[in-house]
Amino acid sequence: QSVLTQPPSASGTPGQRVSISCSGSSSSIGRNTVNWYQHFPGTAPKLLIYKNNQRPSGVPDRLSGSKSGTSASLAISGLQSEDEADYYCAAWDDSLHGWVFGGGTKLTVL
Amino acid sequence: QLQMQESGPGLVKPSETLSLTCTVSGGSISSSSYYWVWMRQPPGKGLVWIGSIYYGGRTYYNPSLKSRVIISVDTSKNQFSLKLNSVTVADTAVYHCGVAYYDSSGRVYWGQGTPVTVSS
């Protein structure tokens, strides 16, 4: 069981906007920032969002992140077939003194 | 940008020690700007942080693995390593090494991972 809670699946049609939620605790998301990763099996998880809503260079602005209290979300607008992947949230946990992750959300583009 | 590549045996017998190495390129493992991390993903499951090693050698481990894990750095080879002893089939996973920026950004970048199977 993962420390952060994500829905196991999400879906949308091309061009739509989808949102993926991530719920944590006061020791994780409540006190620290959230990262979001895109993962294709067999490859390196790609950092999409850091510090709740910051995008590394090269990540398109149709991806955005937000955080409120002990929850965070990743939004993808203008959905494309190439967005079909697994998405994970991550946050530092003060009680663990380490990183905690969500269980992952499999995004399907219909 | 820093890049990392994991290496090590893909098959380990139960009760033996799993040993993996992460080779870092594009930057120095001795830099105080980063710290180094291992995580794993068991088949069909989510990501799990294993532990981290900081500049100066300070380490932190996941409590669920702490009694079996050692993470260390070899500055001469620009590598860091993971040793997990007394492995069982539950340790079968893809193991990823990563670099975390020691600033307020919270950025962590990961390698592509290496699969390890525990089986006799």
Side-chain angles (χ1 to χ4, degrees), chain A residues 33 35 37 39 42-45 47 50-51 56 88 92 96-99 101-103, chain B residues 35 39 41 45-49 54 60 63 96 104-112:
Chain A
T33 60
N35 293 347
Y37 294 90
H39 189 211
T43 69
L47 182 64
Y50 67 94
K51 210 171 181 179
Y88 291 88
W92 181 262
L96 188 64
H97 209 101
W99 291 91
F101 297 91
Chain B
Y35 64 96
M39 72 165 176
Q41 184 173 27
K45 298 186 179 180
L47 306 172
V48 177
W49 171 72
Y54 289 76
Y60 291 93
H96 295 266
S104 62
S105 73
R107 289 171 293 164
V108 184
Y109 294 92
W110 300 100
Q112 69 177 39

Side-chain angles (χ1 to χ4, degrees), chain A residues 43-77:
Chain A
T43 69
K46 177 184 177 182
L47 182 64
L48 298 176
I49 298 287
Y50 67 94
K51 210 171 181 179
N52 303 327
N53 56 20
Q54 301 299 300
R55 288 183 302 276
S57 60
V59 175
D61 60 6
R62 61 188 186 84
L63 276 75
S64 61
S66 63
K67 173 188 145 178
S68 178
T70 59
S71 295
S73 65
L74 171 71
I76 306 174
S77 60

Side-chain angles (χ1 to χ4, degrees), chain A residues 4-6 21-23 34-37 87-91 100-102:
Chain A
L4 304 181
T5 301
Q6 296 179 236
S21 63
C22 175
S23 177
V34 178
N35 293 347
W36 287 93
Y37 294 90
Y87 293 82
Y88 291 88
C89 57
V100 290
F101 297 91

Side-chain angles (χ1 to χ4, degrees), chain B residues 32-113:
Chain B
S32 59
S33 298
Y34 318 115
Y35 64 96
W36 310 96
V37 194
W38 285 98
M39 72 165 176
R40 70 183 185 181
Q41 184 173 27
K45 298 186 179 180
L47 306 172
V48 177
W49 171 72
I50 297 172
S52 306
I53 186 164
Y54 289 76
Y55 176 77
R58 181 168 43 118
T59 53
Y60 291 93
Y61 301 126
N62 190 315
S64 66
L65 298 168
K66 186 176 182 178
S67 63
R68 300 192 290 130
V69 175
I70 296 176
I71 295 175
S72 59
V73 167
D74 186 337
T75 56
S76 67
K77 296 180 180 178
N78 221 39
Q79 296 174 336
F80 65 106
S81 65
L82 168 71
K83 291 189 187 301
L84 180 66
N85 60 38
S86 304
V87 297
T88 70
V89 293
D91 295 310
T92 294
V94 176
Y95 287 76
H96 295 266
C97 63
V99 56
Y101 282 67
Y102 200 59
D103 57 20
S104 62
S105 73
R107 289 171 293 164
V108 184
Y109 294 92
W110 300 100
Q112 69 177 39

Side-chain angles (χ1 to χ4, degrees), chain A residues 1 3 9 11 19 27 33 45 63 66 72 80 91 107:
Chain A
Q1 186 175 357
V3 177
S9 63
S11 63
S19 183
S27 63
T33 60
L63 276 75
S66 63
Q80 301 176 3
L107 175 62

